[in-house]
């Protein structure tokens, strides 16, 4: 008897697809004009230099063509994207003060529970603004600053630091959506860890885009001084709509001498989202940046966290997984610049595609003439769950130094029938067998995540597998 095959049209994303109305919310007009940029700046009571930066970024944006080398973004029309949506609350420091609909959103996503269990601080952004922010007293007593970046701009001490660093790692001239971000950015986090301070527990931010046809443009700026240590966790999700939404945030990370920063992300944007995010880190002498990345959502994704190693013996590691299902074209990867002697980098990625999903991995390793004695290794493995999906690997290496050790390996394969048969012969259903194999494939990433986020990632894989052909 032939084995019955079934196909589920869509997965159950009810945990993330719930939404609330926008009663009491303020939306600016859709589109992108100097007047809209000025209004965003005025609402935030920004210093004059920031408004100047925004208007210059808008000029740059208008001169940039759309990217043509990656997934198509013709479905994204900025004339129909609202760049600023203010929820019906100001930022609160106590959870009880947050309006019920917003509070219910984050409670359903597990944010307060995560805070109670082990996180040193939590920031929650809803649409264009932080709605809740709190940090444990112990972290504050250590001299750590964790606040909304707009809030920090109102403090002269931090304003000077932000002005010195803001969009220096990711200048508006970098690409079209960096320029867009520079013009309309809103919300995000500012973290400062003083010299020698090591925080044993993570800080966390969670971004929720609830508004239909809107964009979210948060800016995260983290400064970890010499000999300091921090783990920062970022989560993001959005409900599904039948119109395009846009995420074009920016993350700038400054890692001091002998400092260590781990930056973990679990991203589950809905499948009408264009995720055009930019993340970049700069490491000084013997500093280390660790990227942990899980990408599960969005219709189209462009995401390539970048490490710029400018100090001798600085290090970078990137561990990532991408899951592309039906209707998804996810172009992800990692970039590293070896810009000093004896620097090192490792890249390990896993990509899974099913249901016609397209997963593309791109890596860029640049060894400058200053990178004598440096080493980098890139390993990417792809798993296709059917014969209609696609997986591509596009490595790029630009080696301009002698005495360096650079390597790349890639494998692309499918779940073998022999493995499925073996597990089924032990009493495991076919669907469970497939999920077990995919979870085992993803394990090197999940084991690097804090427990709650590893569970969330495994649950997302399970949801995706329920939509696979079984």
């Amino acid at each position: 008897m032939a084995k019955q095959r079934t196909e589920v049209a869509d997965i159950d994303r009810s945990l993330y697809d719930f939404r609330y109305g926008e009663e009491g919310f303020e939306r600016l007009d859709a589109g992108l004009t100097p007047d809209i940029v000025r209004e965003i700046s005025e609402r935030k009571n920004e210093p004059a230099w920031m408004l100047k930066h925004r208007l210059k970024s808008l000029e740059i944006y208008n001169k940039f063509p759309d990217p043509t080398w990656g997934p198509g973004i013709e479905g994204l029309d900025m004339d129909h994207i609202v760049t600023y949506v203010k929820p019906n609350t100001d930022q609160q420091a106590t959870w009880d003060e947050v309006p019920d609909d917003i509070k219910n959103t984050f409670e359903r996503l597990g944010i307060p529970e995560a805070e109670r269990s082990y996180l040193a601080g939590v920031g929650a952004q809803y649409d264009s603004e932080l709605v809740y922010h709190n940090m444990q007293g112990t972290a504050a007593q250590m001299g750590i600053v964790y606040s909304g970046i707009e809030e920090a701009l109102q403090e002269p001490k931090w304003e000077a630091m932000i002005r010195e660093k803001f969009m220096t790692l990711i200048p508006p001239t970098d690409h079209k959506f960096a320029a867009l971000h520079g013009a309309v950015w809103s919300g995000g986090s500012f973290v400062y860890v003083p010299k020698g301070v090591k925080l044993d527990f993570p800080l966390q931010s969670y971004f929720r885009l609830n508004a239909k046809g809107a964009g979210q443009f948060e800016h995260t700026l983290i400064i970890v001084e010499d000999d300091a240590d921090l783990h920062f966790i970022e989560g993001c999700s959005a409900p599904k709509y039948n119109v395009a939404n846009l995420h074009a945030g920016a993350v700038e990370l400054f890692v001091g001498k002998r400092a260590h920063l781990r930056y973990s992300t679990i991203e589950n944007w809905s499948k009408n989202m264009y995720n055009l995010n930019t993340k970049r880190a700069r490491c000084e002498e013997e500093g280390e940046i660790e990227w942990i990345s899980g990408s599960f959502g969005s219709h189209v994704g462009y995401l390539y966290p970048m490490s710029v190693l400018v100090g001798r013996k600085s290090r970078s590691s990137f561990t990532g997984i991408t899951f592309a299902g039906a209707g998804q074209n996810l172009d992800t990867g990692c970039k590293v610049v070896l810009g000093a002697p004896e620097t090192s980098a490792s890249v390990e990625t896993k990509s899974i595609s099913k249901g016609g999903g397209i997963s593309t991995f791109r890596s860029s390793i640049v060894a400058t003439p200053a990178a004598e004695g440096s080493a980098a290794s890139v390993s990417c493995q792809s798993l296709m769950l059917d014969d209609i999906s696609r997986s591509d690997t596009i490595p790029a290496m630009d080696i301009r130094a002698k005495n360096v050790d650079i390597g790349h390996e890639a494998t692309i394969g499918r779940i073998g029938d022999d493995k499925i048969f073996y597990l089924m012969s032990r009493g495991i259903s076919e669907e469970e067998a497939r999920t077990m194999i995919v979870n085992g494939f993803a394990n090197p990433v999940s084991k690097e995540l804090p427990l709650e986020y590893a569970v969330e990632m495994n649950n997302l894989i399970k949801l995706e597998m329920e939509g696979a052909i079984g």
Side-chain angles (χ1 to χ4, degrees):
M1 180 177 176
K3 185 169 54 179
Q4 185 178 2
R5 305 180 78 82
T6 60
E7 183 171 359
V8 178
D10 200 2
I11 62 172
D12 177 11
R13 294 182 75 257
S14 58
L15 173 60
Y16 301 97
D17 272 343
F18 65 90
R19 66 190 71 153
Y20 292 100
E22 296 179 36
E23 184 176 350
F25 286 33
E26 299 176 44
R27 292 171 67 106
L28 297 188
D29 292 337
L32 196 59
T33 66
D35 286 344
I36 287 175
V37 170
R38 288 190 185 94
E39 185 168 356
I40 292 173
S41 185
E42 183 178 346
R43 283 170 174 263
K44 297 175 181 300
N45 192 31
E46 291 176 339
W49 66 265
M50 183 59 80
L51 174 58
K52 184 177 179 181
H53 171 89
R54 288 183 182 275
L55 292 172
K56 180 64 177 176
S57 297
L58 181 60
E59 286 181 23
I60 295 169
Y61 169 81
N62 286 326
K63 294 175 183 177
F64 259 116
D66 285 343
T68 57
W69 47 268
I73 57 170
E74 56 276 357
L76 177 64
D77 183 355
M78 285 305 301
D79 289 339
H80 293 93
I81 294 290
V82 177
T83 56
Y84 179 82
V85 180
K86 184 183 185 303
N88 58 345
T89 181
D90 293 323
Q91 184 178 318
Q92 306 297 338
T94 63
W95 192 246
D96 290 341
E97 295 175 304
V98 176
D100 285 345
D101 55 348
I102 295 176
K103 185 163 38 177
N104 289 342
T105 294
F106 287 106
E107 284 183 344
R108 289 177 70 171
L109 294 168
I111 304 309
E113 180 182 349
E115 179 191 18
R116 285 193 294 268
S117 60
Y118 72 105
L119 293 166
V122 172
Q125 180 159 332
Y126 199 86
D127 294 332
S128 299
E129 294 288 352
L130 278 176
V131 294
Y132 171 68
H133 195 278
N134 194 18
M135 184 168 71
Q136 290 182 11
T138 50
Q141 290 166 10
M142 297 168 74
I144 294 170
V145 176
Y146 177 33
S147 72
I149 190 168
E150 295 168 12
E151 181 184 348
L153 268 176
Q154 304 302 317
E155 299 287 338
K157 179 180 180 181
W158 307 122
E159 185 214 338
M161 187 178 290
I162 293 170
R163 184 173 185 175
E164 176 189 352
K165 305 284 191 185
F166 189 83
M167 292 198 78
T168 56
L169 289 184
I170 306 171
T173 52
D174 202 64
H175 59 81
K176 184 180 183 74
F177 292 95
L180 174 64
H181 175 89
V184 299
W185 76 272
S186 188
S189 300
F190 172 70
V191 180
Y192 173 74
V193 184
K195 185 175 181 178
V197 171
K198 300 180 187 295
L199 187 61
D200 293 333
F201 303 99
L203 300 176
Q204 179 203 23
S205 65
Y206 202 98
F207 302 105
R208 175 71 174 179
L209 182 55
N210 180 73
K212 181 178 180 179
Q216 193 170 60
F217 308 95
E218 80 287 345
H219 194 96
T220 298
L221 176 60
I222 299 178
I223 300 167
V224 183
E225 294 280 23
D226 298 351
D227 301 297
D229 194 308
L230 174 68
H231 182 191
F232 193 88
I233 303 169
E234 172 188 78
C236 17
S237 68
K240 186 177 182 180
Y241 291 105
N242 58 0
V243 297
N245 276 31
L246 170 64
H247 178 240
V251 174
E252 295 185 291
L253 310 175
F254 293 85
V255 183
K257 296 178 181 178
R258 300 169 302 280
H260 172 260
L261 172 60
R262 171 177 280 211
Y263 196 93
S264 301
T265 303
I266 287 290
E267 170 266 300
N268 190 37
W269 296 118
S270 57
K271 293 179 183 177
N272 61 303
M273 178 74 76
Y274 289 80
N275 185 30
L276 311 176
N277 211 15
T278 309
K279 301 180 179 184
R280 203 159 292 170
R282 174 187 171 97
C283 286
E284 306 296 336
E285 183 176 339
E286 296 186 42
E288 182 178 12
I289 174 68
E290 289 184 80
W291 302 96
I292 310 295
S293 177
S295 298
F296 294 86
S298 69
H299 170 54
V300 168
Y302 283 69
L303 182 60
Y304 323 98
M306 180 176 182
S307 302
V308 183
L309 305 179
V310 298
R312 180 185 290 269
K313 294 186 177 180
S314 53
R315 304 178 303 280
S316 168
S317 65
F318 179 87
T319 306
I321 185 163
T322 300
F323 200 128
Q328 292 183 275
N329 191 334
L330 303 185
D331 203 295
T332 64
C334 176
K335 298 190 280 188
V336 180
V337 175
L338 306 171
E342 300 176 74
T343 53
S344 60
S346 65
V347 178
E348 182 180 3
T349 69
K350 308 273 189 173
S351 66
I352 302 166
S353 52
K354 75 163 187 71
I358 301 172
S359 177
T360 303
F361 169 80
R362 297 178 194 268
S363 65
S364 170
I365 306 293
V366 177
T368 70
E372 290 293 317
S374 295
S377 64
V378 179
S379 172
C380 50
Q381 296 177 279
S382 301
L383 186 65
M384 292 180 290
L385 305 187
D386 51 46
D387 57 4
I388 60 172
S389 301
R390 178 170 173 173
S391 182
D392 293 294
T393 300
I394 307 173
M397 295 182 179
D398 183 353
I399 313 302
R400 306 192 180 199
K402 298 177 181 178
N403 189 32
V404 294
D405 184 0
I406 312 291
H408 174 269
E409 61 174 299
T411 59
I412 297 176
R414 297 179 180 172
I415 294 179
D417 287 340
D418 55 339
K419 295 183 177 66
I420 297 292
F421 178 77
Y422 176 82
L423 291 170
M424 291 177 68
S425 71
R426 298 305 188 268
I428 297 171
S429 71
E430 182 178 358
E431 182 179 329
E432 289 173 330
R434 290 178 180 272
T435 302
M436 286 174 66
I437 291 171
V438 172
N439 274 323
F441 181 76
N443 185 59
V445 179
S446 60
K447 74 179 182 182
E448 296 294 335
L449 291 166
L451 178 61
E452 293 188 21
Y453 289 84
V455 170
E456 179 180 6
M457 191 183 89
N458 288 333
N459 285 340
L460 288 170
I461 289 175
K462 183 174 185 297
L463 288 176
E464 293 284 359
M465 289 302 296
E466 287 173 2
I469 296 175

